């Protein structure tokens, strides 16, 4: 096919898995980064072209111009696939402009950002009958009294704009155990110019976290879907998946599919849920609107999201599919899982025996591939360099 696939952000395993999912099907995969350092995803044998663009933060207009200039030089419009939240935000801001040059699933400016924004997402979910954790907004009257009466301590202080918060604090949220810690967390957020909300912690260990991973066609109908269950995440308790298994849960589809369709969503989305350990109710936690951390797992169990996206946008609608059985296969990001395991054992949330027993499952590796090993060696060099600089 003449249409290339332009992948934004290949210095992480999400970009790597996207390149592999496309390249293995003969698609010309173009890796775009703002530096050649640490972009180990671009070292994949399935990467056909490597480009260094202006930094999307330092010079946003130059970055967009770079993308447009590249597309102008192609014989057919490329498919644009952002693999990091920051790239998604930039694409959303310039969506109408970029759609003149690229094939992109969404056609409504702001739709990406609305589902990424925790406060807007909370409102949209509530309006559509989807349960979300009880929330108190900072500007509400009797704020502290509501936190202590409705949410109770401990609770979490979450950003409305997660990428900016993570970039500043290197964590997804603040956990607070009392009013003094809450005041401190609010002040830190205010000083950083970041808006936050305060939410109740849904009871349950990390294995009560689930995902609904879905592809919606250009008519905003779910055509392909898989559900998964987290086992471990990093940072522990409130982090990203590092050991997650495919697990069929029909209820997640029953909740998630109607919600995404009502949002008029197009393309891929992943809804994260938490199951209340006391009531069994599923609560919507967040929506990931770019290729997921679990992409290599989804591919292994039969749902190739980057390729589905590419095929539909270039004129071949995907065949519907739903995985309604358990494969026992898990996604494994070994490096951060080792750090997570240390944390779980130190806090006595898991025993060594429980961890060892869990490891004997067929894997979908985040980085390693016997047929495409070079990115893993690039990742190893990067990690080794970081460790040496710290010592």
């Amino acid at each position: 096919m003449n249409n290339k696939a332009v992948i934004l952000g290949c210095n992480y395993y999400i970009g790597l898995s996207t390149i592999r999912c496309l390249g293995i099907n003969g698609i010309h995969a173009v890796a775009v980064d703002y530096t050649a350092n640490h972009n180990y995803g671009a070292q994949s044998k399935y990467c056909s072209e490597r480009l260094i663009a202006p930094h999307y933060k330092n010079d946003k207009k130059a970055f967009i111009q770079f993308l447009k200039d590249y597309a102008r030089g192609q014989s057919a419009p490329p498919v644009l696939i952002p693999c990091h939240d920051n790239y998604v935000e930039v694409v959303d801001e310039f969506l109408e402009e970029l759609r003149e040059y690229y094939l992109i699933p969404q056609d409504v400016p702001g739709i990406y950002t609305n589902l990424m924004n925790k406060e807007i997402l909370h409102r949209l979910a509530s309006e559509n009958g989807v349960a979300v954790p009880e929330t108190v907004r900072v500007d509400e009257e009797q704020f502290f009294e509501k936190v202590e009466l409705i949410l109770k301590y401990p609770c979490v202080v979450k950003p409305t704009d997660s990428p900016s918060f993570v970039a500043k604090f290197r964590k997804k949220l603040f956990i607070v155990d009392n009013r003094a810690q809450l005041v401190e967390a609010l002040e830190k957020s205010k000083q950083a110019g970041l808006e936050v909300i305060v939410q109740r912690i849904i009871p349950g260990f990390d294995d009560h976290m689930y995902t609904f991973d879905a592809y919606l066609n250009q008519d905003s109908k779910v055509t392909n879907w898989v559900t998964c269950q987290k086992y471990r995440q990093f940072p522990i308790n409130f982090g990203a998946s590092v050991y997650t298994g495919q697990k069929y849960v029909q209820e997640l589809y029953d909740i998630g599919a109607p919600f995404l369709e009502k949002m008029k969503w197009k393309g891929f989305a992943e809804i994260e849920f938490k199951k209340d350990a006391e009531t069994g109710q599923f609560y919507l936690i967040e929506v990931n609107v770019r290729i997921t951390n679990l992409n290599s797992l989804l591919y292994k169990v039969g749902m190739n999201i980057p390729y589905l996206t590419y095929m539909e946008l270039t004129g071949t609608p995907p065949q519907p599919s739903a995985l309604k059985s358990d494969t026992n296969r898990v996604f494994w990001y070994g490096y951060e899982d080792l750090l997570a395991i240390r944390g779980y054992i130190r806090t006595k949330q898991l025993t060594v025996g429980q961890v060892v027993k869990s490891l004997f499952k067929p894997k979908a590796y985040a980085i390693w591939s016997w047929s495409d090993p070079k990115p893993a060696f690039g990742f190893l060099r990067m990690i080794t360099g970081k460790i040496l600089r710290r010592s």
Side-chain angles (χ1 to χ4, degrees), residues 148 153-154 176-183:
E148 289 157 9
Y153 296 112
V176 296
D177 294 314
N178 50 55
R179 183 180 289 203
Q181 290 182 8
L182 175 57
V183 170

Side-chain angles (χ1 to χ4, degrees), residues 245-314:
Q246 178 272 322
K247 178 74 173 178
Y248 169 55
V249 183
Q250 179 66 37
E251 190 176 351
L252 299 179
Y253 170 86
D254 296 339
I255 301 170
F259 175 69
L260 291 175
E261 290 178 353
K262 287 177 183 177
M263 296 300 102
K264 301 299 182 184
W265 188 257
K266 297 176 181 179
F268 174 74
E270 177 185 77
I271 304 179
E272 290 195 13
F273 292 94
K274 187 167 186 181
K275 185 178 183 179
D276 191 313
E278 297 171 0
T279 67
Q281 183 174 13
F282 284 103
Y283 287 83
L284 185 151
I285 302 300
E286 67 179 8
V287 178
N288 293 316
V289 300
R290 39 85 185 142
I291 301 296
T292 174
N293 296 48
L294 311 176
N295 189 52
S296 61
L297 172 63
L298 301 185
Y299 169 73
K300 286 287 188 181
V301 300
M303 193 167 85
N304 187 336
I305 292 299
Y307 189 58
L308 289 176
T309 304
Y310 180 92
M311 291 302 291
E312 185 183 27
L313 294 180
T314 55

Side-chain angles (χ1 to χ4, degrees), residues 26-324:
I27 308 303
H28 186 106
V30 183
V32 177
D33 286 283
Y34 55 82
T35 175
N37 296 330
H38 307 322
N39 58 347
Y40 59 88
Q43 296 175 30
S44 169
K45 71 177 185 180
Y46 297 108
C47 181
S48 302
E49 196 173 346
R50 300 167 180 81
L51 303 174
I52 303 300
H55 199 300
Y56 57 87
K57 282 186 178 179
N58 297 339
D59 198 340
K60 196 180 297 184
K61 289 185 178 180
F63 171 69
I64 296 299
Q65 190 62 49
F66 175 90
L67 291 180
K68 292 195 298 185
D69 289 343
Y70 178 78
R72 283 194 188 99
Q74 308 308 310
S75 60
V79 175
L80 189 62
I81 304 179
C83 288
H84 189 280
D85 289 342
N86 288 330
Y87 281 113
V88 172
E89 290 179 333
V90 175
V91 169
D92 199 22
E93 183 178 350
F94 293 88
L95 184 62
E96 292 179 313
E97 197 172 335
L98 287 171
R99 278 179 60 86
E100 295 180 17
Y101 302 89
Y102 287 89
L103 302 177
I104 302 171
Q106 306 300 342
D107 56 5
V108 179
I111 192 168
Y112 283 117
T113 306
N114 284 345
L115 287 196
M116 290 172 67
N117 183 288
K118 300 296 189 295
E119 188 167 15
I120 296 175
L121 175 63
H122 181 280
R123 175 175 55 80
L124 292 171
S126 297
E127 289 174 353
N128 287 279
V130 178
V132 291
E134 292 84 349
T135 300
V136 177
R137 291 167 180 78
V138 177
D139 59 356
E140 290 187 31
E141 293 183 2
Q142 298 180 310
F143 168 75
F144 290 105
E145 289 78 5
K146 287 182 179 178
V147 168
E148 289 157 9
L149 180 65
I150 301 172
L151 310 185
K152 299 182 173 56
Y153 296 112
C155 56
V156 294
V157 177
K158 294 176 65 174
T160 58
D161 178 8
S162 188
S164 298
F165 189 93
V166 172
K168 174 65 178 179
F169 297 111
R170 312 309 301 174
K171 60 176 66 177
K172 296 178 73 172
L173 47 76
F174 293 127
I175 305 170
V176 296
D177 294 314
N178 50 55
R179 183 180 289 203
Q181 290 182 8
L182 175 57
V183 170
E184 181 183 2
L186 295 177
E187 183 59 27
K188 285 182 179 179
S189 302
K190 182 179 179 180
Q191 292 295 325
L194 297 170
E195 294 184 5
V196 292
I197 54 177
V198 187
Q199 284 189 340
R200 177 171 78 93
I201 296 176
I202 305 301
F205 179 59
D206 289 1
D207 63 0
H208 283 61
M209 294 293 299
Y210 293 80
T211 68
F212 171 64
D213 296 273
Y215 184 83
L216 287 82
N217 64 17
Q218 290 298 293
D219 294 321
S220 296
K221 298 296 180 184
V222 173
T223 57
N224 309 76
W225 60 276
V226 172
T227 56
C228 302
Q229 179 182 10
K230 287 189 181 183
Y231 298 121
R232 294 189 290 272
Q233 46 191 357
F234 183 78
I236 63 172
N237 307 136
F238 297 97
S241 297
V242 292
Y243 200 73
T244 296
Q246 178 272 322
K247 178 74 173 178
Y248 169 55
V249 183
Q250 179 66 37
E251 190 176 351
L252 299 179
Y253 170 86
D254 296 339
I255 301 170
F259 175 69
L260 291 175
E261 290 178 353
K262 287 177 183 177
M263 296 300 102
K264 301 299 182 184
W265 188 257
K266 297 176 181 179
F268 174 74
E270 177 185 77
I271 304 179
E272 290 195 13
F273 292 94
K274 187 167 186 181
K275 185 178 183 179
D276 191 313
E278 297 171 0
T279 67
Q281 183 174 13
F282 284 103
Y283 287 83
L284 185 151
I285 302 300
E286 67 179 8
V287 178
N288 293 316
V289 300
R290 39 85 185 142
I291 301 296
T292 174
N293 296 48
L294 311 176
N295 189 52
S296 61
L297 172 63
L298 301 185
Y299 169 73
K300 286 287 188 181
V301 300
M303 193 167 85
N304 187 336
I305 292 299
Y307 189 58
L308 289 176
T309 304
Y310 180 92
M311 291 302 291
E312 185 183 27
L313 294 180
T314 55
T316 307
Q319 291 296 314
S321 67
L323 185 50
K324 296 187 176 183

Side-chain angles (χ1 to χ4, degrees), residues 205 232 341 344-358:
F205 179 59
R232 294 189 290 272
I341 288 169
Y344 287 119
I345 292 174
R346 281 181 176 177
T347 56
K348 298 183 179 179
Q349 297 182 58
L350 288 175
T351 66
V352 173
Q354 288 173 317
V355 170
V356 172
K357 184 179 178 180
S358 75

